[in-house]
Amino acid sequence: MRITQGCFSFLPDLDDTQITAQVQYILDKGWAVSLEYTYDPHPRNTYWEMWGQPMFDLQDAKGAMIELDECRKAHPDAYIRIQAFDDTRGFETVMMSFIVNRPPEEPRIHMQRTDVGGRSQTYAWDCR
Amino acid sequence: MTDTEDTPRPTHIDLAAEYESSGVADVLRELDEELIGLEPVKARIRETAALLLVDKARRDMGLATETPTLHMSFTGNPGTGKTTVARMMSGLLHRLGYVRKGHLVSVTRDDLVGQYIGHTAPKTKEVLKKAMGGVLFIDEAYYLYKPDNERDYGQEAIEILLQVMENNRDDLVVIMAGYADRMDRFFSANPGFRSRIAHHIDFPDYSDDELLRISELMLTTQNYEFDDPAERAMAEYISLRRVQPHFANARSIRNALDRARLRQANRLFSEANGPIDAKALSTIGEADIRASRVFSGGLDVDRPPLKEAAE
């Protein structure tokens, strides 16, 4: 099942030129860029693994794209997202987050229904 | 992004108009006005600018497709304006469209080479990422290579640099700077660099007269001026300072002027009784220059440290 999260999630996947343009937009706004990846795209899993440290002083998108290439090489089957952080409020606020890499075969989100006390039911979702 | 395919290629190009409109003319004018002396350097930069302009025209017409190698080496003694020229060069390359952002990232060995195994590569890559789209200026580049220590981590930084200089020619320009003789030895030990660097520019030392003009320019930008005896004293200072150790051309002059301003402030403070006008506040007098230790034949740095501690 196609995982949709963050910006542009209902568009077709961005190609590298489009990602570069987005990253350049982020940098032109004065935001920091970071890369994160995960093998568990469950919507409740908000903490993805960091790929290196956030890049605070880039001028040009190429710097982030180099890291993206490295990350894709190391984790071709992971979900990778690019995030933008704004620090004007004294702490880093996520301004943008979009998926830039997804595995060829995406997991299904499976719903598990369970009966509990009486006839009430609980639901759980997990990635399979 | 794909516009270039759709627009028809130009069949003629007006180099003079291109020269003005691209802003190259402004950079070269700035170069002429702000830099005193350095004639061979200016000539080389003008040649390089012409080459890049023609090359850009050729690329616009579809005659050439390769990005030319733009990595440079600046050789010369300290204080001869290498960093200043590098900054102008990044502006020039930016206006000609050879680098996307045109910022200058100035680094030395410390910024590239790590202290333990596995520390160098991320450090160098971090710097390179910052420099993408601009110019990476490596000051005293020969320190990267230490022939007497085989396990020196500098070698690792060199390898990464060489790789990036080859593969990311569209993304950044590397300028290496340092003393002429040591750079020559560095290049002969690392032939990879020599072949990847297209432009070698040599910075000559300034003459006494040029240094005097530089000192006047420095003062003017800070709204100060010499009176006539002070100017003569400065000329004398320059010829004396040149033969003393640690002479660093324009940088020595700047330091001398900073100290002269300090003495001038001190003099005004102790002498003044009553209001002083703007002219007095902005005039460096002969006494401010003559008080320098250079005239008594020695520099602060050469004094024994004990005396300094007692001060």
Side-chain angles (χ1 to χ4, degrees):
Chain A
M1 195 183 94
R2 191 185 150 86
I3 303 286
T4 53
Q5 280 193 31
C7 316
F8 321 124
S9 56
F10 293 101
L11 295 178
D13 285 340
L14 303 182
D15 64 23
D16 275 10
T17 322
Q18 291 163 330
I19 296 171
T20 306
Q22 292 298 343
V23 173
Q24 194 56 56
Y25 170 83
I26 292 170
L27 296 175
D28 291 345
K29 286 272 185 185
W31 299 337
V33 194
S34 95
L35 285 171
E36 292 180 347
Y37 66 94
T38 190
Y39 288 94
D40 173 20
H42 193 283
R44 299 300 285 267
N45 172 27
T46 45
Y47 299 110
W48 292 25
E49 308 286 333
M50 291 169 79
W51 177 260
Q53 270 134 23
M55 293 163 263
F56 291 103
D57 35 18
L58 293 189
Q59 300 276 333
D60 189 85
K62 182 70 190 179
M65 295 309 282
I66 290 176
E67 286 296 332
L68 176 57
D69 289 342
E70 297 271 305
C71 186
R72 276 179 176 156
K73 217 182 290 168
H75 302 282
D77 294 335
Y79 287 90
I80 304 176
R81 70 182 174 195
I82 285 181
Q83 290 187 302
F85 296 102
D86 181 10
D87 65 354
T88 43
R89 285 180 229 176
F91 44 86
E92 302 287 347
T93 318
V94 178
M95 302 302 283
M96 266 172 91
S97 167
F98 56 99
I99 293 179
V100 290
N101 194 63
R102 45 178 84 240
E105 190 94 0
E106 298 198 51
R108 268 178 338 111
I109 302 278
H110 172 258
M111 189 188 78
Q112 181 71 49
R113 185 191 297 132
T114 320
D115 277 341
V116 286
R119 287 190 58 78
S120 62
Q121 293 178 334
T122 56
Y123 299 90
W125 288 266
D126 59 325
C127 290
R128 294 200 170 170
Chain B
M1 288 272 163
T2 50
D3 285 354
T4 42
E5 263 90 65
D6 305 331
T7 48
R9 294 194 184 284
T11 47
H12 307 280
I13 202 142
D14 184 353
L15 277 180
E18 188 79 355
Y19 177 74
E20 281 296 333
S21 69
S22 60
V24 175
D26 295 334
V27 176
L28 293 182
R29 216 171 289 137
E30 195 186 347
L31 187 78
D32 266 336
E33 280 164 14
E34 288 185 11
L35 291 183
I36 288 166
L38 294 178
E39 287 315 322
V41 176
K42 287 179 184 167
R44 273 307 298 273
I45 290 177
R46 236 171 268 126
E47 281 168 24
T48 311
L51 171 76
L52 296 182
L53 200 62
V54 170
D55 209 85
K56 183 170 179 276
R58 283 172 59 85
R59 281 201 296 167
D60 288 348
M61 286 193 197
L63 294 174
T65 46
E66 277 275 287
T67 314
T69 306
L70 290 167
H71 306 307
M72 303 176 203
S73 99
F74 289 179
T75 50
N77 288 328
T80 44
K82 296 187 289 288
T83 315
T84 313
V85 171
R87 189 156 284 126
M88 288 184 176
M89 190 56 102
S90 68
L92 186 74
L93 293 172
H94 178 48
R95 283 174 207 208
L96 282 168
Y98 285 95
V99 292
R100 287 188 296 268
K101 290 279 169 273
H103 60 294
L104 184 83
V105 176
S106 179
V107 296
T108 54
R109 180 190 156 95
D110 286 355
D111 301 300
L112 296 171
V113 179
Q115 283 157 1
Y116 43 84
I117 292 181
H119 189 206
T120 304
K123 235 181 145 176
T124 307
K125 281 185 182 148
E126 196 64 32
V127 167
L128 287 168
K129 272 185 332 198
K130 269 185 231 171
M132 283 294 158
V135 172
L136 178 67
F137 181 76
I138 307 176
D139 208 1
E140 304 193 81
Y142 40 77
Y143 280 133
L144 285 177
Y145 175 69
K146 298 209 164 151
D148 45 326
N149 183 356
E150 239 174 63
R151 281 183 298 175
D152 183 61
Y153 302 138
Q155 197 60 42
E156 204 181 335
I158 288 176
E159 271 152 34
I160 296 171
L161 270 175
L162 283 174
Q163 201 188 334
V164 168
M165 281 166 80
E166 190 59 40
N167 297 341
N168 295 67
R169 275 189 293 174
D170 299 342
D171 300 312
L172 95 163
V173 170
V174 177
I175 298 180
M176 310 191 129
Y179 296 103
D181 51 338
R182 301 178 70 173
M183 284 305 275
D184 281 346
R185 240 175 300 150
F186 174 67
F187 285 135
S188 57
N190 298 277
F193 276 122
R194 187 177 282 287
S195 58
R196 280 175 182 83
I197 289 179
H199 306 275
H200 292 263
I201 300 182
D202 197 42
F203 286 63
D205 277 350
Y206 290 110
S207 71
D208 289 1
D209 182 45
E210 283 162 358
L211 284 176
L212 186 61
R213 270 158 57 210
I214 289 170
S215 67
E216 276 158 14
L217 186 71
M218 281 176 181
L219 282 185
T220 315
T221 53
Q222 295 171 333
N223 274 328
Y224 277 92
E225 58 181 7
F226 286 133
D227 58 12
D228 288 343
E231 194 175 327
R232 279 194 296 279
M234 191 66 202
E236 219 174 294
Y237 174 93
I238 289 166
S239 53
L240 282 172
R241 181 67 187 86
R242 180 181 291 280
V243 292
Q244 287 173 6
H246 311 297
F247 175 65
N249 285 289
R251 198 171 302 138
S252 294
I253 300 302
R254 189 170 62 208
N255 293 342
L257 291 179
D258 283 347
R259 287 192 295 270
R261 277 167 50 208
L262 192 82
R263 285 187 213 106
Q264 184 240 21
N266 214 358
R267 174 172 59 86
L268 288 178
F269 203 74
S270 52
E271 279 178 5
N273 38 6
I276 42 176
D277 56 0
K279 187 161 168 52
L281 278 178
S282 55
T283 306
I284 302 277
E286 187 184 6
D288 305 327
I289 308 281
R290 293 266 178 214
S292 167
R293 250 179 284 265
V294 168
F295 287 101
S296 51
L299 274 174
D300 320 4
V301 282
D302 295 326
R303 285 187 308 154
L306 217 146
K307 260 191 194 166
E308 234 165 69
E311 264 180 350

